[in-house]
Amino acid sequence: MKPADVVRPLLRVHQVREFTDAPVDAEALDAIADAARWSGSSANIQPWRFVVIRDPGVLRQLADSGPPHTRSLTTAAAAVAIVLPQVKGAAVSNAFDEGRAAERMLIAASLLGLGAGIAWLPADARPAVGELLGLPDGRFVRTVVAIGHSTARASRPKSAKGEARLPRTETVFSERWETES
Ligand SMILES: Cc1cc2nc3c(=O)[nH]c(=O)nc-3n(C[C@H](O)[C@H](O)[C@H](O)COP(=O)(O)O)c2cc1C
């Protein structure tokens, strides 16, 4: 198999924001959470904790906490909230580790034939969400990964073939930044 074919499953990972009523298997959620907790982190500190949510009432409250960014949680069958510590001086490093875990969950969901999407909660929703999820003091949630079975509409490509990202010539350079002549 060509290298491009080997990595193609990663290229197929995309944001899903609309889900069917079908439930998500508990084992699939465990596998997604494991993919997250095995992601790397700065100095292997593992700053994150993950709250797996299946309660429809809680999912809808999260959806209401920051529309339109949180709209995927309106139909999600499950979600994983990434909990971070509020540590001065580590915000960038923790955000990087958070992104690594979030993307891994999207990849894991895609490999399992599920859809997933990132929802960023607005900062002013943090206290209420902290209470909703029973977080200890000094912890907050910014990223929630919505998970479910994608609707046919959400599975359809949002752009023409090959146009969902900037062209490679504009984004990937060899040895030195290449300006257009
Ligand atoms: C840091 C970050 C925050 C994001 N926040 C949201 C969000 O709050 N709500 C949402 O619907 N999508 C969110 N997204 C998803 C992006 O909109 C999505 O990755 C982008 O549109 C590409 O979509 P595609 O992978 O389906 O092509 C976020 C993505 C990243 C990387």
Side-chain angles (χ1 to χ4, degrees):
M1 224 199 286
K2 283 183 177 172
D5 294 325
V6 174
V7 302
R8 200 163 312 280
L10 296 180
L11 272 53
R12 291 221 172 94
V13 177
H14 66 277
Q15 184 80 6
V16 173
R17 297 191 182 89
E18 189 184 66
F19 305 94
T20 70
D21 292 341
V24 174
D25 195 59
E27 271 186 54
L29 282 178
D30 284 347
I32 291 168
D34 278 339
R37 76 182 181 86
W38 277 98
S39 64
S41 58
S42 171
N44 200 22
I45 276 172
Q46 304 166 62
W48 22 244
R49 298 292 182 269
F50 304 99
V51 181
V52 181
I53 304 155
R54 307 187 73 172
D55 182 331
V58 175
L59 291 167
R60 300 318 160 237
Q61 274 180 266
L62 290 173
D64 291 342
S65 72
H69 304 288
T70 50
R71 63 193 180 284
S72 53
L73 295 156
T74 309
T75 53
V80 179
I82 305 179
V83 183
L84 291 176
Q86 247 148 359
V87 187
K88 264 201 179 149
V92 172
S93 171
N94 287 347
F96 189 90
D97 295 341
E98 174 190 28
R100 294 184 71 183
E103 186 65 17
R104 279 208 183 187
M105 286 194 265
L106 260 57
I107 295 166
S110 176
L111 293 174
L112 290 164
L114 296 164
I118 289 172
W120 253 20
L121 306 182
D124 61 10
R126 286 180 195 168
V129 169
E131 203 163 310
L132 182 68
L133 302 181
L135 304 187
D137 283 350
R139 308 249 172 183
F140 72 99
V141 171
R142 168 173 41 216
T143 301
V144 179
V145 176
I147 302 166
H149 294 267
S150 178
T151 62
R153 185 168 59 170
S155 297
R156 277 200 287 275
K158 292 167 220 148
S159 322
K161 199 170 186 306
E163 287 183 10
R165 296 295 185 268
L166 294 167
R168 188 205 288 209
T169 50
E170 287 178 30
T171 48
V172 182
F173 307 137
S174 176
E175 309 299 349
R176 285 174 66 80
W177 182 286
E178 292 156 28
T179 48
E180 283 178 37
S181 50

